[in-house]
Amino acid sequence: MDSSLEFIRRIQREIFSLNGTVALLDWDQKTYMPTWGARERADQISLISRLIHEKTTCEKLFRHVEKLWGRLEELDNREQVIVKRLRRDVEKARKIPSDFVERLSKTVSIAFTVWEKAKRKNDFNRFVPHLERIIELEKEYSELIDLPGHPYNSLLDDYEEGMSVEKLKKAFSYLRSEIVDILARIRSSDVFRKQYILNGRFDVERQKKICEFLLHKMGISRKVSRLDVSTHPFTTSIGYNDVRITTNYKSSQPLFSFFSTMHEAGHALYELGLPKKEYGYTVVCDAASLGLHESQSRFWENIIARGKHFWKYFYPVFLKTFPWQLKKWDLQTWYLYVNQVRPSCIRIEADELTYPLHIILRFEIELGLIDGKIEARDLPCIWNEKMMDMLGIEPKNDAEGVLQDMHWSTGDFGYFPTYAIGNVYASQLFHQLLKEKPDVGNEIEQGNLQGIVKWLREHVYRYGRMMTAEEIIRRTCGEGLNAKVFVDYLKDKYLALYEV
Amino acid sequence: MDSSLEFIRRIQREIFSLNGTVALLDWDQKTYMPTWGARERADQISLISRLIHEKTTCEKLFRHVEKLWGRLEELDNREQVIVKRLRRDVEKARKIPSDFVERLSKTVSIAFTVWEKAKRKNDFNRFVPHLERIIELEKEYSELIDLPGHPYNSLLDDYEEGMSVEKLKKAFSYLRSEIVDILARIRSSDVFRKQYILNGRFDVERQKKICEFLLHKMGISRKVSRLDVSTHPFTTSIGYNDVRITTNYKSSQPLFSFFSTMHEAGHALYELGLPKKEYGYTVVCDAASLGLHESQSRFWENIIARGKHFWKYFYPVFLKTFPWQLKKWDLQTWYLYVNQVRPSCIRIEADELTYPLHIILRFEIELGLIDGKIEARDLPCIWNEKMMDMLGIEPKNDAEGVLQDMHWSTGDFGYFPTYAIGNVYASQLFHQLLKEKPDVGNEIEQGNLQGIVKWLREHVYRYGRMMTAEEIIRRTCGEGLNAKVFVDYLKDKYLALYEV
């Protein structure tokens, strides 16, 4: 038994090192790699990924895990948690034969290139056969994993362990009708008619200084992190003490780098707060789900950084940095500006209120594609109808519509819902935080964000994967996924803002 | 046989990917990694290195290589070259049992830390027991490799395949007496009495622009390379189209970044010029030896960039960039300044003339340590005596003497000679270049360095490891290692410069 424990300890540590190595290969590719390095980088990433898969699925590990599983009651509590999680990962990975991994990887590699071109040329039909192939593979994957209930459950499980289609359907249909209703009321308001536009050029070096200052206030030290530039902002963990974030600077939109830095910093704080002392170098020292991860980024980006308290401290920082560009603005207008609701065709440009509608639209379509009620070739029509139903606007072409996201071309079915789950969890955590620390608004106004970080560390980060995301939310907030808390939050904020 | 060829093709490609991955892990550690990432980075590097060793020494590869070796005449010429090289690498790696690799790696890891402290505290005795352990391991390594002749041959072979102690002893003792002689003549000259010192502060951003311009003139594109900052300048290949160099900027010494960039660019051009079309992803597409590699960096740094022609073009660039700081200088003084001979205790600060003496000193000591004629504890005394004999100066303490270099603490016995081999090869290549392109000085004066790069590509780079370094030199210059060519070059240059 000791030798089994020693074996799983060693192999988890190796897999951890390989994961960090892939993370670095990927980070470098998106930040500093000379362009011509791309081809060999693809080889490197695919080789290390294969080694990770081989190590996870190898017979020897399986046997040791099964042995420990059979004598679970002899293990201490910590070891039991590790063995349970590891067993789940190993058994799941072993359901997928390596020839399937290869077929999927080849298909999406081609599909991604075709999608890029299809989007550029605004030509959905070019993408259809590839999308159809991916959908077939996703169905096959679902059959291999074979979770109970809707076939989509098996896809969802990759990103949101323990969540089910049944639960999401209920939460999302409620969310959909409530947000559509709030949106209708806002649209008819006087405030909605006024549009705020930020003019001027905002020096990139100064933007960077504000972002670095923000990270400092959030308690992210340069000893364990970096801020770099990439096309699309992201966060990656190269080690427990090496969690890097990226942003992008747009000289006409200083809030893009600011909000994206804060979003990514939310992810980074979660990674940095994982239970490395107790569970370091095991599968338990990881995020519980993508939804919970996204709740952390959205908590900071939307709830904190689009809240009124926050700007009492940070608007003066902006004003001092860009006095000339902001001379016609005041705190209240700025607050309205950063929370402006404007239905948009593009998901990643959506405001806090309408964002979940973009997700629900995709969720409904993914369900239909997987259970066969929707055909890939009909997507543009269905997409545009749903856009009209939910957001009251229609994309002027497929590039701005059904082709806008890369997720389907990379085979990431089941991923989209986690964004909206993140919104809901974030609002639940905030609701609970306010109960426990009713004066948190004052702290934020002082620029003191450390109390919030501490609270999140104790109530979210430190659990790692000891339980599922929903179990963590239940333990912290007293109940599982509850979209009503999010709807109440949205109503409180946006009906007041738009005076309806 | 086809399956053996396919197997060795695939495994060489995997090893290539793993080598590039280690290179990235190392590059990142020295450039951008947050400091606290160090511990997990060590795990990552050691794991990937172990995978490389396992792949190189695995029984399956060995059997395939032996099979191909037995039917060598049935292979085409290209395949024969690959199998020969690969067989040499595999057989050599298999001579070293993995428990030895582990013992050595643990010993040097501790020894390096002790050396750092011993140097800082100027306390050689603290380092002695660790150095003794390393010497024992180096002797053991030599016995395992077991090449004919002097036991040091087996160490040398890791860096300079085909070179022997016998050959080096002859070349180095000649070099030593000639340089000591030139130095004596220079020391007695009037010119030697005058010392040139560069004053002022040189903006780092401007230094960087000059370095980037230099890389541009050398034909190193940003599509396949980068210039970053690290404590010690270095070059690393992450892929055939991703060769990165680093430098370091000192605001009082603009020539440090300039010469080190040129030095590293010489290495980078070699890597970028390897025969990737013909031999890509095989062991043949690599540098022939460290000595030949070093000949490339020194060719550019010393022979080209410390030559008169070069500054006709580049001095105006410096003058334009730093007009105020250089207002009292002219081209001739500048040329004297960059070639100033000043015996120094520190190897890495040595000038072109005295540098080889530092190497010969270390070579003589390494030989003695390996064949048992020198004891580690006597080193400070021996070191200082040799310094006095060769350079006429004595270090004021061991930190500036025997403790200055890290090489022994990392177990790199046999490495030092390659620096001086590089000097000699560089002079031989230059001698041949002048024969074939007598007007090359004119090109350099125009800032046109592409003719030289082209010549080196054809006469050095493109051979990769198709033959040994000395065979490449013989093919290009008509003879193997010949220290006399280097001595003639030094005499021509320095006796004229010092008017003796």
Side-chain angles (χ1 to χ4, degrees):
Chain A
M1 185 135 110
D2 276 352
S3 76
S4 291
L5 283 172
E6 169 57 23
F7 184 84
I8 67 161
R9 190 196 63 74
R10 194 159 49 77
I11 207 150
Q12 285 179 99
R13 189 156 183 145
E14 283 182 9
I15 291 171
F16 174 79
S17 281
L18 293 173
N19 279 327
T21 302
V22 169
L24 179 68
L25 289 163
D26 177 70
W27 173 84
D28 180 72
Q29 178 164 31
K30 291 169 176 161
T31 52
Y32 294 114
M33 188 186 76
T35 46
W36 288 17
R39 194 180 143 192
E40 281 158 18
R41 181 55 48 87
D43 286 350
Q44 291 160 346
I45 290 177
S46 118
L47 174 60
I48 308 286
S49 304
R50 181 159 63 77
L51 292 174
I52 294 170
H53 185 75
E54 281 173 13
K55 282 196 186 282
T56 311
T57 56
C58 80
E59 196 58 31
K60 206 167 165 192
L61 175 61
F62 177 69
R63 282 204 313 270
H64 281 295
V65 170
E66 288 305 307
K67 198 166 139 198
L68 291 167
W69 179 252
R71 298 169 68 179
L72 203 61
E73 69 293 342
E74 297 169 47
L75 301 176
D76 66 27
N77 188 44
R78 177 182 163 279
E79 290 162 348
Q80 287 190 11
V81 173
I82 295 169
V83 170
K84 276 183 201 164
R85 281 291 165 211
L86 184 59
R87 182 168 185 261
R88 182 254 180 200
D89 291 355
V90 166
E91 298 209 324
K92 189 166 175 185
R94 285 170 62 93
K95 285 182 183 172
I96 309 303
S98 51
D99 92 279
F100 177 87
V101 177
E102 240 170 77
R103 271 189 295 141
L104 180 64
S105 129
K106 273 182 195 157
T107 307
V108 299
S109 148
I110 297 163
F112 178 74
T113 318
V114 175
W115 164 76
E116 278 185 311
K117 197 162 187 181
K119 183 176 175 178
R120 207 166 51 240
K121 304 243 173 197
N122 186 31
D123 177 6
F124 182 71
N125 287 332
R126 182 193 292 262
F127 183 47
V128 170
H130 300 274
L131 182 55
E132 284 171 347
R133 240 163 273 151
I134 289 174
I135 293 165
E136 283 316 306
L137 286 166
E138 295 290 321
K139 286 179 183 169
E140 195 181 333
Y141 184 83
S142 165
E143 279 165 26
L144 290 166
I145 299 292
D146 200 26
L147 292 189
H150 196 286
Y152 189 81
N153 281 342
S154 299
L155 308 180
L156 198 53
D157 189 70
D158 275 1
Y159 310 99
E160 201 64 31
E161 196 185 334
M163 189 48 69
S164 70
V165 166
E166 294 65 32
K167 231 181 248 181
L168 280 190
K169 261 188 172 168
K170 214 178 122 202
F172 284 0
S173 72
Y174 164 73
L175 207 50
R176 175 182 168 159
S177 73
E178 290 288 332
I179 295 178
V180 167
D181 184 54
I182 301 170
L183 185 58
R185 291 170 70 183
I186 284 180
R187 267 203 166 110
S188 64
S189 76
D190 289 340
V191 183
F192 186 81
R193 255 162 249 139
K194 175 131 185 72
Q195 182 149 359
Y196 300 96
I197 292 167
L198 192 58
N199 287 314
R201 288 182 60 83
F202 298 81
D203 178 65
V204 163
E205 281 306 311
R206 287 180 182 214
Q207 288 190 41
K208 198 176 162 197
K209 278 210 178 111
I210 293 187
C211 290
E212 296 274 6
F213 179 66
L214 175 66
L215 293 180
H216 167 69
K217 295 305 283 183
M218 291 175 80
I220 296 181
S221 154
R222 298 181 74 156
K223 282 181 185 155
V224 296
S225 188
R226 304 184 39 88
L227 177 63
D228 295 279
V229 173
S230 64
T231 311
H232 304 289
F234 69 97
T235 303
T236 191
S237 281
I238 292 161
Y240 292 131
N241 292 305
D242 184 357
V243 178
R244 308 184 187 184
I245 72 184
T246 69
T247 187
N248 198 302
Y249 302 99
K250 298 172 195 278
S251 64
S252 62
Q253 298 173 48
L255 286 174
F256 182 85
S257 64
F258 186 78
F259 282 129
S260 73
T261 298
M262 192 148 196
H263 180 104
E264 300 307 331
H267 284 307
L269 281 171
Y270 187 7
E271 293 284 319
L272 289 166
L274 290 172
K276 53 187 171 231
K277 271 201 186 132
E278 205 181 347
Y279 288 104
Y281 312 111
T282 76
V283 289
V284 179
C285 194
D286 203 346
S289 80
L290 275 198
L292 197 60
H293 228 310
E294 202 64 18
S295 82
Q296 294 311 298
S297 53
R298 278 151 201 273
F299 180 91
W300 289 100
E301 182 194 358
N302 288 340
I303 299 181
I304 302 300
R306 286 190 166 86
K308 219 162 186 170
H309 299 292
F310 184 78
W311 290 108
K312 287 223 170 116
Y313 183 84
F314 270 91
Y315 179 68
V317 174
F318 267 77
L319 193 59
K320 204 176 155 190
T321 313
F322 301 112
W324 186 85
Q325 294 90 329
L326 297 182
K327 65 181 173 191
K328 285 186 183 159
W329 293 73
D330 59 32
L331 180 56
Q332 176 60 18
T333 334
W334 184 259
Y335 176 61
L336 279 168
Y337 170 64
V338 302
N339 284 296
Q340 197 163 231
V341 174
R342 277 292 171 278
S344 149
C345 288
I346 308 295
R347 176 182 61 86
I348 57 166
E349 292 172 4
D351 53 75
E352 184 183 17
L353 180 71
T354 58
Y355 188 92
L357 297 177
H358 291 268
I359 298 308
I360 294 165
L361 177 153
R362 285 155 176 80
F363 171 68
E364 292 175 0
I365 288 177
E366 287 191 353
L367 278 188
L369 288 170
I370 295 302
D371 65 18
K373 288 184 188 135
I374 297 179
E375 296 290 332
R377 62 173 173 277
D378 302 328
L379 277 187
C381 183
I382 294 167
W383 183 282
N384 295 357
E385 250 179 52
K386 282 185 186 285
M387 279 300 286
M388 195 45 104
D389 286 352
M390 294 192 211
L391 287 142
I393 54 175
E394 198 165 287
K396 62 174 191 286
N397 57 45
D398 289 339
E400 288 196 354
V402 65
L403 284 171
Q404 68 181 271
D405 294 309
M406 73 154 91
H407 299 57
W408 293 340
S409 78
T410 51
D412 288 326
F413 279 72
Y415 189 122
F416 278 125
T418 67
Y419 294 117
I421 294 170
N423 280 321
V424 176
Y425 282 163
S427 70
Q428 292 182 258
L429 289 168
F430 186 59
H431 186 72
Q432 186 64 26
L433 172 68
L434 280 179
K435 266 195 216 163
E436 296 182 24
K437 290 168 66 82
D439 63 335
V440 74
N442 276 326
E443 288 180 14
I444 300 172
E445 288 185 14
Q446 312 292 319
N448 173 9
L449 307 175
Q450 285 312 301
I452 301 176
V453 174
K454 189 164 170 266
W455 190 87
L456 290 170
R457 197 180 294 129
E458 275 166 29
H459 293 86
V460 180
Y461 309 163
R462 77 174 175 90
Y463 293 118
R465 281 179 78 206
M466 290 161 70
M467 48 196 104
T468 67
E470 199 176 20
E471 282 161 2
I472 293 170
I473 292 296
R474 187 170 291 121
R475 176 177 282 221
T476 295
C477 307
E479 59 180 355
L481 187 80
N482 183 355
K484 186 168 182 305
V485 182
F486 182 42
V487 167
D488 289 346
Y489 159 82
L490 290 173
K491 276 185 181 163
D492 277 357
K493 178 170 176 179
Y494 286 93
L495 297 184
L497 209 67
Y498 281 86
E499 299 167 17
V500 285
Chain B
M1 186 136 111
D2 277 352
S3 77
S4 291
L5 282 172
E6 169 56 22
F7 184 86
I8 68 161
R9 191 197 62 74
R10 194 158 50 76
I11 208 150
Q12 284 178 100
R13 189 158 184 142
E14 284 182 7
I15 291 171
F16 175 78
S17 281
L18 293 174
N19 279 328
T21 301
V22 169
L24 178 68
L25 289 163
D26 178 69
W27 173 85
D28 180 73
Q29 179 165 30
K30 290 168 176 161
T31 51
Y32 294 114
M33 188 186 75
T35 46
W36 288 18
R39 194 179 143 190
E40 281 157 19
R41 181 55 48 87
D43 286 350
Q44 292 160 347
I45 290 176
S46 117
L47 174 60
I48 307 288
S49 305
R50 180 159 62 77
L51 293 174
I52 294 169
H53 185 75
E54 281 173 13
K55 282 195 187 285
T56 311
T57 55
C58 80
E59 196 57 31
K60 208 169 165 190
L61 175 62
F62 176 69
R63 281 204 313 270
H64 282 296
V65 169
E66 288 306 307
K67 199 166 139 197
L68 292 166
W69 179 251
R71 299 169 68 178
L72 203 60
E73 69 293 342
E74 297 170 47
L75 300 177
D76 67 26
N77 188 44
R78 177 182 164 279
E79 289 161 349
Q80 286 190 9
V81 173
I82 295 169
V83 170
K84 275 184 203 164
R85 281 293 166 209
L86 184 59
R87 181 166 185 263
R88 181 254 182 201
D89 291 355
V90 166
E91 298 209 324
K92 188 166 176 184
R94 285 170 62 93
K95 285 183 183 172
I96 309 302
S98 50
D99 91 279
F100 178 86
V101 175
E102 240 170 78
R103 270 189 297 140
L104 181 64
S105 132
K106 272 182 196 157
T107 307
V108 299
S109 150
I110 297 163
F112 178 73
T113 317
V114 175
W115 165 76
E116 277 185 310
K117 198 162 187 180
K119 183 176 176 179
R120 205 166 53 242
K121 304 241 174 198
N122 185 33
D123 177 6
F124 181 72
N125 287 332
R126 183 193 292 263
F127 183 49
V128 170
H130 300 275
L131 181 56
E132 283 171 348
R133 241 164 272 151
I134 289 174
I135 293 165
E136 282 316 304
L137 286 166
E138 294 290 321
K139 287 179 183 169
E140 196 181 332
Y141 184 83
S142 165
E143 279 165 27
L144 289 165
I145 298 294
D146 199 27
L147 292 189
H150 196 286
Y152 190 80
N153 280 342
S154 299
L155 307 179
L156 198 53
D157 189 68
D158 275 0
Y159 310 99
E160 201 65 31
E161 198 185 334
M163 189 49 67
S164 69
V165 167
E166 294 64 32
K167 230 181 250 180
L168 280 188
K169 261 188 171 169
K170 212 177 124 203
F172 284 0
S173 73
Y174 165 72
L175 206 50
R176 176 181 165 160
S177 73
E178 290 289 330
I179 294 178
V180 167
D181 185 54
I182 301 170
L183 186 58
R185 291 170 68 184
I186 284 180
R187 266 204 168 108
S188 64
S189 76
D190 289 339
V191 183
F192 186 81
R193 256 163 248 137
K194 173 131 185 75
Q195 182 149 0
Y196 299 95
I197 291 166
L198 192 57
N199 288 315
R201 288 182 59 83
F202 298 80
D203 178 64
V204 164
E205 281 307 311
R206 288 181 181 213
Q207 288 190 41
K208 198 178 162 195
K209 277 208 180 114
I210 293 187
C211 291
E212 295 275 6
F213 177 66
L214 175 66
L215 293 179
H216 166 69
K217 294 305 282 184
M218 291 176 79
I220 297 182
S221 155
R222 298 181 74 153
K223 282 180 186 155
V224 296
S225 188
R226 302 184 41 87
L227 176 63
D228 295 279
V229 173
S230 64
T231 311
H232 305 290
F234 68 98
T235 303
T236 190
S237 280
I238 292 160
Y240 291 130
N241 292 304
D242 184 357
V243 178
R244 309 185 186 182
I245 72 184
T246 69
T247 186
N248 198 303
Y249 301 99
K250 298 172 195 279
S251 62
S252 62
Q253 298 173 47
L255 286 174
F256 182 85
S257 65
F258 187 77
F259 282 129
S260 74
T261 298
M262 192 149 197
H263 179 103
E264 301 306 332
H267 285 306
L269 281 170
Y270 187 7
E271 293 284 319
L272 289 165
L274 290 171
K276 53 187 170 231
K277 270 200 188 132
E278 205 180 347
Y279 287 104
Y281 312 112
T282 75
V283 290
V284 180
C285 193
D286 203 346
S289 80
L290 276 197
L292 196 59
H293 228 310
E294 202 64 18
S295 81
Q296 295 311 298
S297 52
R298 278 151 200 273
F299 180 91
W300 289 99
E301 182 194 358
N302 287 340
I303 298 180
I304 302 300
R306 285 190 166 86
K308 220 163 186 171
H309 298 291
F310 184 78
W311 289 107
K312 288 225 171 114
Y313 183 85
F314 270 92
Y315 179 68
V317 174
F318 266 77
L319 193 59
K320 205 176 153 192
T321 313
F322 301 112
W324 188 85
Q325 293 90 329
L326 298 182
K327 65 181 173 191
K328 287 187 183 159
W329 292 73
D330 59 32
L331 180 56
Q332 176 59 20
T333 333
W334 185 259
Y335 176 62
L336 279 168
Y337 171 63
V338 302
N339 284 296
Q340 196 162 232
V341 173
R342 277 292 170 280
S344 148
C345 287
I346 309 294
R347 176 182 61 87
I348 57 166
E349 291 172 4
D351 53 75
E352 184 183 17
L353 179 71
T354 58
Y355 188 92
L357 297 178
H358 291 267
I359 298 307
I360 294 164
L361 176 152
R362 285 154 178 79
F363 171 69
E364 292 175 359
I365 288 178
E366 286 190 354
L367 279 188
L369 288 170
I370 296 301
D371 65 19
K373 288 184 189 138
I374 297 179
E375 296 290 331
R377 62 172 173 278
D378 301 328
L379 278 186
C381 183
I382 294 168
W383 183 282
N384 295 355
E385 250 178 53
K386 283 185 185 285
M387 279 299 288
M388 195 46 105
D389 286 354
M390 294 192 210
L391 287 142
I393 53 175
E394 197 164 290
K396 64 174 189 285
N397 57 44
D398 290 339
E400 288 195 356
V402 65
L403 283 172
Q404 68 183 271
D405 294 308
M406 73 154 90
H407 298 57
W408 292 341
S409 78
T410 51
D412 289 327
F413 279 73
Y415 189 122
F416 278 124
T418 66
Y419 295 117
I421 294 170
N423 280 321
V424 176
Y425 283 162
S427 70
Q428 291 183 258
L429 289 167
F430 185 61
H431 186 72
Q432 185 64 26
L433 172 68
L434 280 179
K435 267 196 217 162
E436 295 181 24
K437 288 169 67 82
D439 63 336
V440 73
N442 276 327
E443 288 181 13
I444 299 172
E445 287 185 14
Q446 311 291 318
N448 174 9
L449 309 175
Q450 285 312 300
I452 302 176
V453 174
K454 189 165 169 264
W455 190 87
L456 289 170
R457 198 180 292 129
E458 275 166 29
H459 293 87
V460 180
Y461 309 163
R462 75 175 177 90
Y463 293 118
R465 281 179 76 206
M466 289 161 70
M467 48 195 103
T468 67
E470 199 176 21
E471 282 161 3
I472 292 171
I473 292 296
R474 186 170 292 118
R475 175 176 284 221
T476 294
C477 308
E479 59 180 354
L481 187 79
N482 183 354
K484 186 168 182 304
V485 182
F486 182 43
V487 168
D488 289 346
Y489 159 83
L490 290 174
K491 277 185 181 161
D492 277 357
K493 178 169 175 179
Y494 286 94
L495 297 183
L497 209 66
Y498 282 86
E499 300 167 16
V500 285

